[in-house]
mmCIF file of all heavy atoms in Angstrom:
data_model
loop_
_atom_site.group_PDB
_atom_site.id
_atom_site.type_symbol
_atom_site.label_atom_id
_atom_site.label_comp_id
_atom_site.label_asym_id
_atom_site.label_seq_id
_atom_site.Cartn_x
_atom_site.Cartn_y
_atom_site.Cartn_z
ATOM 1 N N PRO A 1 51.366 -67.566 171.900
ATOM 2 C CA PRO A 1 51.435 -69.033 171.748
ATOM 3 C C PRO A 1 50.134 -69.603 171.184
ATOM 4 O O PRO A 1 49.060 -69.387 171.738
ATOM 5 C CB PRO A 1 51.691 -69.518 173.173
ATOM 6 C CG PRO A 1 51.125 -68.450 174.051
ATOM 7 C CD PRO A 1 51.326 -67.163 173.317
ATOM 8 N N LEU A 2 50.233 -70.325 170.066
ATOM 9 C CA LEU A 2 49.080 -70.956 169.433
ATOM 10 C C LEU A 2 49.363 -72.441 169.234
ATOM 11 O O LEU A 2 50.500 -72.835 168.944
ATOM 12 C CB LEU A 2 48.790 -70.317 168.070
ATOM 13 C CG LEU A 2 48.460 -68.824 168.032
ATOM 14 C CD1 LEU A 2 48.360 -68.359 166.578
ATOM 15 C CD2 LEU A 2 47.177 -68.528 168.777
ATOM 16 N N ASP A 3 48.322 -73.269 169.362
ATOM 17 C CA ASP A 3 48.495 -74.686 169.072
ATOM 18 C C ASP A 3 48.216 -74.956 167.594
ATOM 19 O O ASP A 3 48.027 -74.025 166.800
ATOM 20 C CB ASP A 3 47.602 -75.546 169.981
ATOM 21 C CG ASP A 3 46.110 -75.268 169.781
ATOM 22 O OD1 ASP A 3 45.743 -74.697 168.726
ATOM 23 O OD2 ASP A 3 45.315 -75.631 170.660
ATOM 24 N N LYS A 4 48.155 -76.229 167.203
ATOM 25 C CA LYS A 4 47.965 -76.576 165.797
ATOM 26 C C LYS A 4 46.588 -76.180 165.275
ATOM 27 O O LYS A 4 46.385 -76.067 164.061
ATOM 28 C CB LYS A 4 48.177 -78.079 165.616
ATOM 29 C CG LYS A 4 49.609 -78.521 165.875
ATOM 30 C CD LYS A 4 49.779 -80.005 165.672
ATOM 31 C CE LYS A 4 51.216 -80.439 165.953
ATOM 32 N NZ LYS A 4 51.404 -81.908 165.768
ATOM 33 N N GLU A 5 45.642 -75.993 166.190
ATOM 34 C CA GLU A 5 44.290 -75.587 165.799
ATOM 35 C C GLU A 5 44.105 -74.072 165.874
ATOM 36 O O GLU A 5 42.988 -73.582 165.794
ATOM 37 C CB GLU A 5 43.259 -76.267 166.711
ATOM 38 C CG GLU A 5 43.326 -77.780 166.718
ATOM 39 C CD GLU A 5 43.036 -78.381 165.352
ATOM 40 O OE1 GLU A 5 42.200 -77.804 164.641
ATOM 41 O OE2 GLU A 5 43.670 -79.397 165.009
ATOM 42 N N PHE A 6 45.208 -73.358 166.037
ATOM 43 C CA PHE A 6 45.195 -71.908 166.175
ATOM 44 C C PHE A 6 44.427 -71.446 167.418
ATOM 45 O O PHE A 6 43.810 -70.376 167.421
ATOM 46 C CB PHE A 6 44.603 -71.235 164.929
ATOM 47 C CG PHE A 6 45.468 -71.368 163.708
ATOM 48 C CD1 PHE A 6 44.905 -71.574 162.459
ATOM 49 C CD2 PHE A 6 46.847 -71.300 163.799
ATOM 50 C CE1 PHE A 6 45.697 -71.702 161.331
ATOM 51 C CE2 PHE A 6 47.658 -71.425 162.679
ATOM 52 C CZ PHE A 6 47.078 -71.639 161.436
ATOM 53 N N GLU A 7 44.476 -72.264 168.462
ATOM 54 C CA GLU A 7 43.867 -71.882 169.733
ATOM 55 C C GLU A 7 44.940 -71.246 170.609
ATOM 56 O O GLU A 7 46.057 -71.754 170.704
ATOM 57 C CB GLU A 7 43.271 -73.098 170.445
ATOM 58 C CG GLU A 7 42.089 -73.735 169.737
ATOM 59 C CD GLU A 7 40.836 -72.888 169.830
ATOM 60 O OE1 GLU A 7 40.766 -72.030 170.741
ATOM 61 O OE2 GLU A 7 39.936 -73.072 168.990
ATOM 62 N N TYR A 8 44.583 -70.137 171.272
ATOM 63 C CA TYR A 8 45.523 -69.452 172.158
ATOM 64 C C TYR A 8 45.785 -70.306 173.387
ATOM 65 O O TYR A 8 44.842 -70.746 174.066
ATOM 66 C CB TYR A 8 44.944 -68.092 172.560
ATOM 67 C CG TYR A 8 45.796 -67.309 173.533
ATOM 68 C CD1 TYR A 8 47.078 -66.888 173.180
ATOM 69 C CD2 TYR A 8 45.320 -66.989 174.799
ATOM 70 C CE1 TYR A 8 47.862 -66.162 174.069
ATOM 71 C CE2 TYR A 8 46.102 -66.258 175.693
ATOM 72 C CZ TYR A 8 47.360 -65.854 175.320
ATOM 73 O OH TYR A 8 48.141 -65.139 176.200
ATOM 74 N N THR A 9 47.050 -70.582 173.698
ATOM 75 C CA THR A 9 47.399 -71.476 174.807
ATOM 76 C C THR A 9 47.991 -70.735 176.006
ATOM 77 O O THR A 9 48.387 -71.375 176.988
ATOM 78 C CB THR A 9 48.403 -72.552 174.339
ATOM 79 O OG1 THR A 9 49.588 -71.908 173.827
ATOM 80 C CG2 THR A 9 47.789 -73.424 173.253
ATOM 81 N N GLY A 10 48.072 -69.425 175.921
ATOM 82 C CA GLY A 10 48.634 -68.655 177.030
ATOM 83 C C GLY A 10 47.557 -68.180 177.987
ATOM 84 O O GLY A 10 46.389 -68.572 177.901
ATOM 85 N N GLY A 11 47.950 -67.335 178.912
ATOM 86 C CA GLY A 11 47.019 -66.759 179.874
ATOM 87 C C GLY A 11 46.998 -65.241 179.755
ATOM 88 O O GLY A 11 47.660 -64.654 178.899
ATOM 89 N N PHE A 12 46.247 -64.612 180.634
ATOM 90 C CA PHE A 12 46.097 -63.156 180.588
ATOM 91 C C PHE A 12 47.433 -62.451 180.769
ATOM 92 O O PHE A 12 47.758 -61.499 180.049
ATOM 93 C CB PHE A 12 45.116 -62.708 181.673
ATOM 94 C CG PHE A 12 45.014 -61.207 181.814
ATOM 95 C CD1 PHE A 12 44.392 -60.442 180.849
ATOM 96 C CD2 PHE A 12 45.569 -60.561 182.918
ATOM 97 C CE1 PHE A 12 44.303 -59.060 180.970
ATOM 98 C CE2 PHE A 12 45.483 -59.184 183.050
ATOM 99 C CZ PHE A 12 44.849 -58.442 182.073
ATOM 100 N N PHE A 13 48.252 -62.941 181.710
ATOM 101 C CA PHE A 13 49.497 -62.241 182.022
ATOM 102 C C PHE A 13 50.568 -62.441 180.950
ATOM 103 O O PHE A 13 51.544 -61.704 180.905
ATOM 104 C CB PHE A 13 50.014 -62.680 183.402
ATOM 105 C CG PHE A 13 49.156 -62.184 184.529
ATOM 106 C CD1 PHE A 13 48.269 -63.044 185.166
ATOM 107 C CD2 PHE A 13 49.200 -60.854 184.924
ATOM 108 C CE1 PHE A 13 47.448 -62.571 186.190
ATOM 109 C CE2 PHE A 13 48.391 -60.378 185.944
ATOM 110 C CZ PHE A 13 47.511 -61.247 186.577
ATOM 111 N N ASN A 14 50.370 -63.452 180.080
ATOM 112 C CA ASN A 14 51.271 -63.592 178.933
ATOM 113 C C ASN A 14 51.167 -62.394 178.010
ATOM 114 O O ASN A 14 52.113 -62.039 177.294
ATOM 115 C CB ASN A 14 50.939 -64.859 178.140
ATOM 116 C CG ASN A 14 51.272 -66.124 178.912
ATOM 117 O OD1 ASN A 14 50.402 -66.688 179.568
ATOM 118 N ND2 ASN A 14 52.506 -66.580 178.833
ATOM 119 N N LEU A 15 49.990 -61.776 178.002
ATOM 120 C CA LEU A 15 49.747 -60.627 177.124
ATOM 121 C C LEU A 15 50.408 -59.362 177.656
ATOM 122 O O LEU A 15 50.607 -58.408 176.904
ATOM 123 C CB LEU A 15 48.238 -60.401 176.967
ATOM 124 C CG LEU A 15 47.437 -61.597 176.426
ATOM 125 C CD1 LEU A 15 45.953 -61.270 176.433
ATOM 126 C CD2 LEU A 15 47.905 -61.960 175.031
ATOM 127 N N LEU A 16 50.739 -59.359 178.947
ATOM 128 C CA LEU A 16 51.350 -58.172 179.558
ATOM 129 C C LEU A 16 52.873 -58.292 179.537
ATOM 130 O O LEU A 16 53.545 -58.041 180.534
ATOM 131 C CB LEU A 16 50.835 -57.990 180.983
ATOM 132 C CG LEU A 16 49.313 -57.821 181.123
ATOM 133 C CD1 LEU A 16 48.925 -57.666 182.585
ATOM 134 C CD2 LEU A 16 48.823 -56.631 180.318
ATOM 135 N N ASN A 17 53.413 -58.693 178.388
ATOM 136 C CA ASN A 17 54.859 -58.813 178.252
ATOM 137 C C ASN A 17 55.480 -57.432 178.045
ATOM 138 O O ASN A 17 54.784 -56.483 177.662
ATOM 139 C CB ASN A 17 55.204 -59.748 177.090
ATOM 140 C CG ASN A 17 54.579 -59.289 175.783
ATOM 141 O OD1 ASN A 17 55.095 -58.394 175.118
ATOM 142 N ND2 ASN A 17 53.454 -59.892 175.402
ATOM 143 N N PRO A 18 56.780 -57.286 178.293
ATOM 144 C CA PRO A 18 57.423 -55.964 178.218
ATOM 145 C C PRO A 18 57.238 -55.248 176.887
ATOM 146 O O PRO A 18 56.960 -54.046 176.854
ATOM 147 C CB PRO A 18 58.902 -56.281 178.485
ATOM 148 C CG PRO A 18 58.873 -57.520 179.318
ATOM 149 C CD PRO A 18 57.716 -58.309 178.802
ATOM 150 N N TYR A 19 57.379 -55.982 175.776
ATOM 151 C CA TYR A 19 57.255 -55.318 174.473
ATOM 152 C C TYR A 19 55.842 -54.781 174.256
ATOM 153 O O TYR A 19 55.664 -53.644 173.811
ATOM 154 C CB TYR A 19 57.610 -56.277 173.343
ATOM 155 C CG TYR A 19 57.520 -55.621 171.978
ATOM 156 C CD1 TYR A 19 58.548 -54.805 171.522
ATOM 157 C CD2 TYR A 19 56.397 -55.785 171.172
ATOM 158 C CE1 TYR A 19 58.462 -54.172 170.284
ATOM 159 C CE2 TYR A 19 56.304 -55.162 169.942
ATOM 160 C CZ TYR A 19 57.336 -54.357 169.500
ATOM 161 O OH TYR A 19 57.241 -53.727 168.280
ATOM 162 N N ALA A 20 54.835 -55.586 174.581
ATOM 163 C CA ALA A 20 53.452 -55.148 174.409
ATOM 164 C C ALA A 20 53.143 -53.936 175.288
ATOM 165 O O ALA A 20 52.424 -53.017 174.878
ATOM 166 C CB ALA A 20 52.494 -56.291 174.732
ATOM 167 N N LEU A 21 53.695 -53.917 176.501
ATOM 168 C CA LEU A 21 53.462 -52.781 177.391
ATOM 169 C C LEU A 21 54.140 -51.520 176.860
ATOM 170 O O LEU A 21 53.586 -50.416 176.978
ATOM 171 C CB LEU A 21 53.982 -53.103 178.794
ATOM 172 C CG LEU A 21 53.158 -54.138 179.572
ATOM 173 C CD1 LEU A 21 53.847 -54.503 180.879
ATOM 174 C CD2 LEU A 21 51.747 -53.601 179.859
ATOM 175 N N VAL A 22 55.329 -51.682 176.250
ATOM 176 C CA VAL A 22 55.999 -50.527 175.643
ATOM 177 C C VAL A 22 55.138 -49.950 174.524
ATOM 178 O O VAL A 22 54.951 -48.734 174.423
ATOM 179 C CB VAL A 22 57.392 -50.933 175.100
ATOM 180 C CG1 VAL A 22 57.947 -49.849 174.170
ATOM 181 C CG2 VAL A 22 58.357 -51.162 176.246
ATOM 182 N N VAL A 23 54.592 -50.831 173.677
ATOM 183 C CA VAL A 23 53.716 -50.370 172.590
ATOM 184 C C VAL A 23 52.450 -49.735 173.161
ATOM 185 O O VAL A 23 51.961 -48.720 172.653
ATOM 186 C CB VAL A 23 53.360 -51.533 171.645
ATOM 187 C CG1 VAL A 23 52.379 -51.076 170.562
ATOM 188 C CG2 VAL A 23 54.612 -52.094 170.994
ATOM 189 N N GLY A 24 51.922 -50.316 174.241
ATOM 190 C CA GLY A 24 50.728 -49.761 174.870
ATOM 191 C C GLY A 24 50.955 -48.364 175.420
ATOM 192 O O GLY A 24 50.140 -47.455 175.206
ATOM 193 N N ILE A 25 52.070 -48.163 176.112
ATOM 194 C CA ILE A 25 52.392 -46.844 176.673
ATOM 195 C C ILE A 25 52.663 -45.843 175.556
ATOM 196 O O ILE A 25 52.263 -44.672 175.638
ATOM 197 C CB ILE A 25 53.593 -46.947 177.633
ATOM 198 C CG1 ILE A 25 53.221 -47.794 178.854
ATOM 199 C CG2 ILE A 25 54.057 -45.564 178.084
ATOM 200 C CD1 ILE A 25 54.393 -48.159 179.738
ATOM 201 N N THR A 26 53.317 -46.300 174.493
ATOM 202 C CA THR A 26 53.569 -45.418 173.345
ATOM 203 C C THR A 26 52.262 -44.985 172.703
ATOM 204 O O THR A 26 52.107 -43.833 172.295
ATOM 205 C CB THR A 26 54.446 -46.144 172.300
ATOM 206 O OG1 THR A 26 55.672 -46.546 172.910
ATOM 207 C CG2 THR A 26 54.757 -45.225 171.122
ATOM 208 N N THR A 27 51.299 -45.903 172.629
ATOM 209 C CA THR A 27 49.981 -45.578 172.077
ATOM 210 C C THR A 27 49.273 -44.529 172.937
ATOM 211 O O THR A 27 48.648 -43.603 172.419
ATOM 212 C CB THR A 27 49.107 -46.841 171.978
ATOM 213 O OG1 THR A 27 49.786 -47.824 171.183
ATOM 214 C CG2 THR A 27 47.762 -46.527 171.339
ATOM 215 N N VAL A 28 49.372 -44.674 174.244
ATOM 216 C CA VAL A 28 48.780 -43.678 175.158
ATOM 217 C C VAL A 28 49.391 -42.308 174.908
ATOM 218 O O VAL A 28 48.679 -41.303 174.791
ATOM 219 C CB VAL A 28 49.004 -44.115 176.631
ATOM 220 C CG1 VAL A 28 48.644 -42.970 177.580
ATOM 221 C CG2 VAL A 28 48.152 -45.339 176.949
ATOM 222 N N ALA A 29 50.727 -42.241 174.815
ATOM 223 C CA ALA A 29 51.407 -40.963 174.575
ATOM 224 C C ALA A 29 51.032 -40.390 173.206
ATOM 225 O O ALA A 29 50.830 -39.178 173.061
ATOM 226 C CB ALA A 29 52.922 -41.164 174.664
#
């Protein structure tokens, strides 16, 4: 999520979404 000034408007746990975690685990493997 970005605002009109391209500032990130989410929090830390927004980054731990299912798709990102799947990519993260795939990277580890």
Side-chain angles (χ1 to χ4, degrees):
L2 300 174
D3 62 19
K4 294 181 181 180
E5 302 298 325
F6 292 142
E7 294 288 340
Y8 177 63
T9 59
F12 173 71
F13 290 103
N14 291 95
L15 303 175
L16 301 179
N17 56 80
Y19 181 79
L21 289 173
V22 166
V23 176
I25 295 170
T26 302
T27 303
V28 169

